[in-house]
Amino acid sequence: MTAAASNLNFEVLPDGRLANLADWDESVAHELAARDGLKLSADHWEVIQAMRDYYRSYNVSPVKKLLKRSLKQRTGSGRFDDARLAELFPGGVLVQGSKIAGIPIPMLDVELERSTYTGKAAPSRTHFTDSFTFEGETYRVTQLGNLLELHRWNERLAAFMAEREGIKLGDEHWEVLNFLRQFYFEYGITPMVRILMQHMAEELGPERASKAHLYQLFPKGPSRQGSRIAGLPEPQGCIDPDD
């Protein structure tokens, strides 16, 4: 059930989010903020625009650490720390901030794991599904082949999982896998392919982050296939081909 906003032509869901994200504009943001008892300041707008720019770039909302990184790049300072974001958005920047910015609330890895471990993958797929045995131990995976117990991953297991998918891991593969793991443990999510390419380009250079190079290494998707072999959850908002 939706409720119409007074004096403005948009609808909100029972939790206060926009029913149609395309209805968002600055007047809507002010109205949504006012309903939460907030008066938007310049700092509020800095955060809102950073969130919206990120969503426009990647079609996925930023988690807090990536939002803070984006704000630091935009402002040249680290003043938007956890305390400042909590002061600006007492209801939580990811929930309240996303609502006022007119973007979806970010899906976190725990939700991804819960949603992906259902049913079985198509039999034509080469990656492991449900479970598999390696060195006398059983490993459970989601229907997309991602480990459910991340702490059990090691390099031998990665090589075994890659071999199942027809990949013999070399130095260039490991560069990507290590980058994926570094990103995950820093930001708490596995990056979708566009985010992976941008961050790799910034740190390693455009040639090693090019789409052609990454897909040559991981033909079924550097984020989706790479995350399986790297022992990580499925990427948030992944746009790799459905394999």
Side-chain angles (χ1 to χ4, degrees), residues 136-185:
E137 296 188 21
T138 299
Y139 295 82
R140 295 172 64 233
V141 294
T142 69
Q143 64 170 334
L144 296 177
N146 298 77
L147 286 176
L148 286 173
E149 299 171 288
L150 307 187
H151 65 281
R152 300 182 66 192
W153 181 90
N154 58 54
E155 293 187 358
R156 300 188 314 281
L157 182 66
F160 179 71
M161 295 175 74
E163 198 172 299
R164 167 80 175 194
E165 301 196 42
I167 295 174
K168 182 176 176 59
L169 297 179
D171 291 343
E172 291 182 326
H173 294 94
W174 278 111
E175 181 174 68
V176 178
L177 297 178
N178 288 330
F179 195 94
L180 285 166
R181 289 182 62 80
Q182 176 187 332
F183 189 100
Y184 176 80
F185 289 110

Side-chain angles (χ1 to χ4, degrees), residues 6-229:
S6 59
N7 303 322
L8 289 172
N9 186 25
F10 69 91
E11 291 183 329
V12 294
L13 300 172
D15 62 3
R17 291 180 296 121
L18 281 176
N20 181 0
L21 300 184
D23 288 339
W24 188 92
D25 60 21
E26 291 189 4
S27 296
V28 171
H30 280 293
E31 174 69 18
L32 292 172
R35 293 181 180 198
D36 281 355
L38 297 180
K39 183 175 181 180
L40 297 180
S41 65
D43 275 2
H44 284 102
W45 280 109
E46 192 75 63
V47 177
I48 289 168
Q49 291 301 336
M51 297 179 90
R52 289 187 60 81
D53 287 349
Y54 193 97
Y55 184 73
R56 275 194 294 266
S57 295
Y58 302 115
N59 198 35
V60 66
S61 301
V63 296
K64 186 187 285 187
K65 286 185 177 180
L66 287 171
L67 173 61
K68 287 162 62 178
R69 181 182 190 274
S70 178
L71 284 165
K72 187 173 183 179
Q73 290 178 329
R74 291 168 68 96
T75 64
S77 76
R79 64 190 179 88
F80 287 100
D81 56 12
D82 288 338
R84 182 56 177 154
L85 292 175
E87 181 182 1
L88 292 170
F89 299 96
V93 68
L94 296 188
V95 176
Q96 188 177 44
S98 296
K99 178 182 71 176
I100 295 170
I103 63 174
I105 296 172
M107 180 179 287
L108 304 179
D109 289 335
V110 64
E111 295 171 314
L112 286 168
E113 288 187 9
R114 187 183 304 119
S115 64
T116 55
Y117 192 57
T118 56
K120 299 227 176 185
S124 61
R125 296 179 180 178
T126 59
H127 60 73
F128 291 110
T129 61
D130 190 25
S131 65
F132 64 91
T133 301
F134 174 65
E135 294 184 345
E137 296 188 21
T138 299
Y139 295 82
R140 295 172 64 233
V141 294
T142 69
Q143 64 170 334
L144 296 177
N146 298 77
L147 286 176
L148 286 173
E149 299 171 288
L150 307 187
H151 65 281
R152 300 182 66 192
W153 181 90
N154 58 54
E155 293 187 358
R156 300 188 314 281
L157 182 66
F160 179 71
M161 295 175 74
E163 198 172 299
R164 167 80 175 194
E165 301 196 42
I167 295 174
K168 182 176 176 59
L169 297 179
D171 291 343
E172 291 182 326
H173 294 94
W174 278 111
E175 181 174 68
V176 178
L177 297 178
N178 288 330
F179 195 94
L180 285 166
R181 289 182 62 80
Q182 176 187 332
F183 189 100
Y184 176 80
F185 289 110
E186 182 172 356
Y187 296 110
I189 63 168
T190 307
M192 58 186 270
V193 65
R194 282 183 290 178
I195 298 175
L196 172 66
M197 290 169 63
Q198 177 183 316
H199 283 251
M200 283 192 68
E202 290 174 0
E203 294 194 22
L204 303 176
E207 290 186 3
R208 285 147 75 183
S210 72
K211 185 174 182 179
H213 175 66
L214 294 176
Y215 275 89
Q216 181 181 20
L217 296 172
F218 298 99
K220 293 187 177 181
S223 291
R224 180 169 293 177
Q225 188 175 41
S227 72
R228 285 196 293 264
I229 297 169

